[in-house]
Amino acid sequence: MTDAIAILDFGSQYTPLIARRVREQHVYCELYAWDAPVERVLALRPKGFILSGGPASVYEPGAPTLPAYVLDSGLPVLGICYGMQLLAHNLGGAVAPSAKREYGPAVIEIQHSTFKISNSIFQALHLPSVKSDISNLQPPTSNLKLSVWMSHGDRIERLPPGFTILAHSDNSPIAAIGCAARNMYGLQFHPEVKHTPQGGEILRAFAVDVCGCAPTWTPDNIIEQSVAAIRAQVGEGQVVCGLSGGVDSAVTAALVHRAVGNQLTCIFVDTGLLRQAEGEQVVQTFHQALGIKLVAVHAVEEFLGTLHGVTDPAAKRKLIGEKFIRIFEREARKLGQINFLAQGTIYPDVIESAGTGRSGAAIIKHHHNVGGLPPDLGFKLVEPLRNLFKDQVRQVGQALGLPQRLLWRHPFPGPGLAVRILDEITWERLETLRAADAIFLHELETAGWYEQVAQAFAVLSPTTRSTGVAGDASKFGQTIILRAVVTDDYMTAAPAQLPYDLLTLVSARILNEVPNVTRVVYDLSTKPPATIEWL
Ligand code: XMP
C-alpha cells in the first residue's frame, strides 16, 4: 500500500492546492471533508494529517471541529491557518478571535534555533541540495527569511504545552509553531499557494521527513499500481472506452490497454464537429501506433441532421450530448458482451462533482461532454485516472508513449465546433471554420506560441457579413474571430498578447486561403465578464 497523507478540508478555497502540492512531491494524499466518516479516512491508512485553512473562527457556534481520531491516532499533524488554530485550541492553547481576516504577502523569519530540531518542517530549507549531508550540517546561526502568503485570522494567545514558536513576522508574532516531540506543527501562512515559493519543500518535509512517507508516487509507480488494479477489477471481462481525441480519454485507453490488452475496445465517434485531421489522428495514434482495437463510427450526417435549423447554444449542446450517447450505446451493443466502461474522470472532476465527500453524491464526470458517460448501460466503471491531477495524467501518458502533441493539446469543448459557429451549423460552415482554425493553430505552433497560451481557436460568425474585394469582383463574406487566452485554471482568463506580426500573418492567410471569409478580428475580452468560448 502506498504511503499517504490525509488532508481534512475545513473549507478554505486553497484546500485542493494542498493536495496538488503534496502530490507534486510524489507523496500520495487524499482530501476529505472535516466531518467525513472516520472509517473512510482511516481506510487510507494515513501516515499523517494535514488540517486545511477555513473561513470560520474556532469560537464561532457551529464552527468545524477537530475530529477526535486525529489526535487519538498519535500520528503527525500539520495545521494550516484555521487548522493551526484548531490544533492549538484542542491541545490546551488559547486562541483569540479577531474581527477580520487579512491575506497577503509577508516575510517571516524562521528562528535559527528551529533548525536544531531534526526532521522538522523547516529543516529542509537550509539544507544544500545533497540531502545525505544532513548529519554533518551545522544549523545556521542567524534567522532565515522566507516569503509567504500570510493569512491573519484568529491569533494564538497562549501556546499549547510543549509547543514553541518556530517563526514570526512583523505582524504575526506567531507565524509557525511546533512540538517536535509529538510531530505536530502549525502554520499561520499558506504553504500551498504559489506566493509561498518554498511551500512545496515545507510540505515535502512534513510528508517525508516528519511522517516518513516514501516519495515514490511517480508516473511509473502509478502505472504499475493502476495496471494491477485494473486487472483485478476487470478480470476476464470486456471493456469499452469512448475516445474523444482529448488527453484524459487517451491516457485512460492507453492505461487500460496496458492492463488488459485486447479485452479493451475503443469507440471513436466522428461527429463532423472536430477540428481538421483530428479523426485521422485518433485512428493513427490508437489503432495503428498502439494496436488498440478501435471502432471508428462515421456519424457526420446523423449529427448534421439533428442540428439542422438549431441556433440556440443550449439546444445544440443538449442535442449533441443525447445523440452521442445514442450512437455510443448502439455501437457498444454491437460489440456483444461488455462488462465495463473505462472513463477519463480525473481528480479535479471528483473534487468538483462531490466536494470532498460530504455530500456522498455519485461521482461522475458531470459536464455535458461528448465522450461523457452513457447512462443506463449497465456497465461498471473503470476510472484509472480518478486520483490524478492533469499534469500527472500527462506524465502518465508520456510514460505510456503517447505523442507530445496529444498530451499538450489545448482543451476542446465536448460539443466541438458546434459552439464555435455562432448560428446554424452546416457542413460548409464547419469546413470554413476548420480551415481558418487550422491556419491559426499552425502559425501559433510555428511561431512557438502554442505552448504559451492555454487555449487558442477560431470562431465563425456566418451572419456578421462584410464587404471584401477579390480581384475585380466584390463579395460579401463571413467573419472569423480569433481567440487566444492565458489562464491557469480556466475560471478567469486574459487575452494572450500575441505579436502583431503573427496576428497579421494569420489574418492574411485566412483572407487569402479560406473562401467566403472577408474579415478577421481578434477577441480582446477577459473572463470575466466574457467566457472563453463564445457560446
Ligand atoms: P468558458 O467558455 O466557460 O470555458 O469560459 C471554460 C473552459 O471550458 C471549456 N468548455 C467546455 N468543455 N463542454 C466541455 O467539455 C462544453 O460544453 C464546454 N463549454 C466550454 C472551454 O473550452 C474552456 O476550456
Side-chain angles (χ1 to χ4, degrees):
M1 201 160 182
T2 317
D3 292 346
I5 299 289
I7 301 167
L8 298 190
D9 180 9
F10 290 91
S12 160
Q13 55 170 333
Y14 299 132
T15 309
L17 282 180
I18 306 177
R20 193 189 178 97
R21 297 279 171 262
V22 171
R23 288 174 178 206
E24 276 170 7
Q25 303 302 322
H26 303 304
V27 174
Y28 185 66
C29 63
E30 285 266 4
L31 266 180
Y32 301 93
W34 65 274
D35 57 354
V38 50
E39 320 76 62
R40 259 193 70 209
V41 181
L42 295 186
L44 180 70
R45 304 237 211 118
K47 299 192 87 173
F49 292 97
I50 295 179
L51 316 176
S52 85
S57 161
V58 291
Y59 287 111
E60 248 168 64
T65 51
L66 185 65
Y69 65 81
V70 173
L71 296 180
D72 290 349
S73 71
L75 292 169
V77 183
L78 172 65
I80 296 171
C81 188
Y82 183 75
M84 161 164 132
Q85 321 294 352
L86 261 188
L87 198 58
H89 182 62
N90 280 270
L91 290 171
V95 178
S98 73
K100 75 177 204 307
R101 294 186 157 253
E102 277 173 35
Y103 297 94
V107 174
I108 60 163
E109 283 193 40
I110 303 172
Q111 262 86 305
H112 63 87
S113 54
T114 298
F115 296 107
K116 295 198 186 112
I117 310 169
S118 62
N119 287 349
S120 92
I121 47 168
F122 295 129
Q123 200 66 25
L125 296 183
H126 80 103
L127 296 180
S129 50
V130 187
K131 284 210 118 191
S132 53
D133 281 355
I134 187 162
S135 55
N136 300 326
L137 208 80
Q138 291 306 312
T141 48
S142 57
N143 292 353
L144 191 88
K145 292 199 171 164
L146 200 67
S147 299
V148 300
W149 191 251
M150 186 57 91
S151 129
H152 302 273
D154 291 355
R155 281 174 301 110
I156 294 184
E157 292 258 290
R158 192 182 68 239
L159 288 177
F163 274 72
T164 50
I165 296 177
L166 303 182
H168 66 273
S169 73
D170 288 347
N171 287 328
S172 296
I174 301 184
I177 59 171
C179 173
R182 296 181 69 181
N183 283 325
M184 304 241 177
Y185 294 92
L187 305 175
Q188 184 66 67
F189 60 90
H190 288 279
E192 68 274 25
V193 304
K194 271 199 239 158
H195 309 281
T196 303
Q198 282 162 294
E201 287 168 65
I202 296 173
L203 291 170
R204 181 192 161 91
F206 176 70
V208 177
D209 301 336
V210 178
C211 300
C213 292
T216 51
W217 206 56
T218 58
D220 285 342
N221 283 327
I222 295 171
I223 292 172
E224 201 179 298
Q225 286 172 13
S226 300
V227 162
I230 295 166
R231 284 187 186 145
Q233 186 189 2
V234 167
E236 299 296 310
Q238 293 291 321
V239 192
V240 70
C241 177
L243 287 178
S244 67
V247 182
D248 304 342
S249 64
V251 177
T252 302
L255 202 47
V256 174
H257 183 251
R258 168 78 60 100
V260 296
N262 267 342
Q263 287 164 255
L264 168 73
T265 308
C266 287
I267 296 179
F268 168 67
V269 181
D270 185 352
T271 59
L273 305 170
L274 296 173
R275 287 169 296 189
Q276 201 168 73
E278 236 167 359
E280 290 91 323
Q281 277 164 16
V282 169
V283 176
Q284 158 66 30
T285 307
F286 290 90
H287 186 59
Q288 287 159 12
L290 295 174
I292 294 178
K293 273 198 283 180
L294 176 72
V295 178
V297 191
H298 180 90
V300 177
E301 287 75 20
E302 271 185 86
F303 276 91
L304 284 180
T306 302
L307 292 168
H308 183 72
V310 181
T311 54
D312 176 59
K316 281 180 184 172
R317 280 195 167 82
K318 185 160 174 279
L319 290 167
I320 292 167
E322 285 168 0
K323 190 84 201 158
F324 183 87
I325 287 168
R326 240 171 286 132
I327 293 173
F328 190 92
E329 182 172 13
R330 185 178 76 205
E331 296 301 323
R333 297 247 179 264
K334 284 190 202 160
L335 298 174
Q337 183 58 45
I338 296 287
N339 318 87
F340 296 94
L341 175 76
Q343 208 182 227
T345 313
I346 69 172
Y347 198 51
D349 303 323
V350 174
I351 299 175
E352 259 173 51
S353 29
T356 42
R358 215 174 309 193
S359 67
I363 301 166
I364 52 169
K365 197 153 196 164
H366 60 119
H367 52 64
H368 32 230
N369 238 346
V370 170
L373 175 66
D376 306 329
L377 284 181
F379 300 151
K380 293 188 199 88
L381 288 181
V382 177
E383 297 180 303
L385 311 181
R386 58 176 297 133
N387 282 321
L388 306 185
F389 283 106
K390 195 78 172 189
D391 42 352
Q392 294 165 325
V393 171
R394 290 202 175 101
Q395 288 168 14
V396 166
Q398 179 150 12
L400 288 167
L402 290 174
Q404 289 295 322
R405 194 190 161 87
L406 191 158
L407 296 174
W408 290 100
R409 206 186 78 137
H410 292 166
F412 184 61
L417 299 183
V419 293
R420 294 180 181 169
I421 292 177
L422 311 180
D423 195 56
E424 188 188 348
I425 291 143
T426 64
W427 182 250
E428 197 191 4
R429 287 172 175 181
L430 283 165
E431 288 289 273
T432 300
L433 177 54
R434 259 192 280 272
D437 187 72
I439 290 171
F440 186 30
L441 295 187
H442 175 79
E443 293 302 339
L444 280 178
E445 274 178 38
T446 307
W449 268 92
Y450 184 86
E451 303 81 29
Q452 296 186 53
V453 301
Q455 206 170 355
F457 53 90
V459 174
L460 176 68
S461 179
T463 51
T464 311
R465 297 254 170 185
S466 63
T467 305
V469 280
D472 292 333
S474 77
K475 57 182 185 177
F476 199 50
Q478 310 176 41
T479 303
I480 282 287
I481 299 145
L482 303 176
R483 179 102 166 114
V485 295
V486 288
T487 171
D488 280 337
D489 56 10
Y490 297 87
M491 309 291 281
T492 60
Q497 301 198 3
L498 296 181
Y500 219 78
D501 287 354
L502 176 58
L503 286 170
T504 315
L505 171 67
V506 172
S507 167
R509 279 200 58 197
I510 292 174
L511 290 173
N512 281 316
E513 296 173 36
V514 185
N516 305 324
V517 175
T518 45
R519 209 63 51 152
V520 175
V521 300
Y522 188 59
D523 181 350
L524 289 174
S525 322
T526 56
K527 173 183 180 175
T531 51
I532 295 176
E533 301 289 344
W534 271 56
L535 294 183

